[in-house]
Every structure is written in structure tokens, then in C-alpha cells.
Amino acid sequence: MLKIAALITLTAAPALATGLDIEVAGEAEGTIHIDLYEDVAPDHVERLTTLAERGAYDGVVFHRVIEDFMAQTGDVQFGVVGGDMSRAGFGGSDLPDLEAEFSGRPFERGTVGMARSGDPDSANSQFFIMFAPASHLDGEYTVVGQVTEGMDVLDAIKRGAPQSGQVEGDPDVMETVTVTE
């Protein structure tokens, strides 16, 4: 009887967050849905969901967007609409940086990875979404998820300068980011 009660307790445990819905506004309009890989990068997934639940990503711009490569966002310190965009991409959250959780998952179209500095253990709040495969990132950056809906929205995001990817004028913005199950 005790074993059955334990089994019932285990199956009734709350579900882990499995994704994010990003409502995008600007040149791109719509929702990007990301399935998160809790089994591959649990600490990074926890960070993304914590910041999303706090509303920290709401109103944050896509500050670096490189044609045929990726769109980067998530600077909750300097990348907020209405702030000084000259520093966008140089900030993070008030939480500590994360240790890398590298995996064998490749960087393909729609892959979501954590942005970082030259230090592999410096990911914090920023992330990027791939427009195209980039095998040179494999094993060098933490893969946290995959876009499963809304690639057309991603493809419509305003591109930045050819070399730097820095977006001039009014960048597209993550209006709201919601954790999904």
C-alpha cells in the first residue's frame, strides 16, 4: 500500500516548464514558441524561465541580428525599450553567471543558445536563435532549446549592420515572454 501511495505522489508532482512563448513586435509581428531542453541544460533553462516569470524579458529588444546567422536578445539590464540602446548587449541580470552546460546538440536553424563572453562560464540572461546552421558553435555554446513554431516571425526580425549585427533605429522587441508547460 505504501508503494502505491509513493507512486501516486511521484506522478502528481508538478510538471517542469517546457517552453517559452515570445510575443514579438516591430517589423516582425507574432509569436515564437521555443521548446526548452531541461534534460540538456537544466541550469540555463531554469534561468530563462525564472527571468521570464519575473517579467524581466518583457520589453527587451533584439539588439544584435546578423543575416544568415542569428538574432540575439535577452539583455535585461541595457536592452530594455526606452533605455540607452548604446549599451545593449553588454548587460545581464542580477543573478550570477552560469557554468557552461555543453552538449552534443548541434546549432541548426531554430536552435536557441545562450550568449556569453569569451569565458565559457559567463552566460547570464542573453540568448540567441539561429537563422541557419553554424557548426562552429557546436560544443562551444550551451544549447537550451529549439523553435517549434514561429520561424516566419524570427525570419522577419529587423537585421542589424552587416559586420556587427547591431540594430539601428527601432529594433524588434520581445513584448512579453511567457513560460509554457
Side-chain angles (χ1 to χ4, degrees), residues 17 19-20 36 44-54 179:
L20 296 175
L36 296 172
H44 289 75
V45 167
E46 189 276 330
R47 174 63 52 85
L48 291 177
T49 57
T50 295
L51 292 172
E53 287 170 343
R54 288 183 181 177
V179 178

Side-chain angles (χ1 to χ4, degrees), residues 64-86:
R64 184 170 175 244
V65 183
I66 301 173
E67 183 70 42
D68 298 323
F69 183 42
M70 61 86 209
Q72 186 171 332
T73 185
D75 183 346
V76 301
Q77 184 177 8
F78 299 123
V80 180
V81 170
D84 177 6
M85 288 294 125
S86 68

Side-chain angles (χ1 to χ4, degrees), residues 78-113:
F78 299 123
V80 180
V81 170
D84 177 6
M85 288 294 125
S86 68
R87 301 256 349 214
F90 290 96
S93 73
D94 59 351
L95 300 171
D97 290 347
L98 297 166
E99 288 187 28
E101 293 177 296
F102 298 151
S103 68
R105 290 202 181 248
F107 278 88
E108 300 174 333
R109 178 169 163 73
T111 298
V112 180

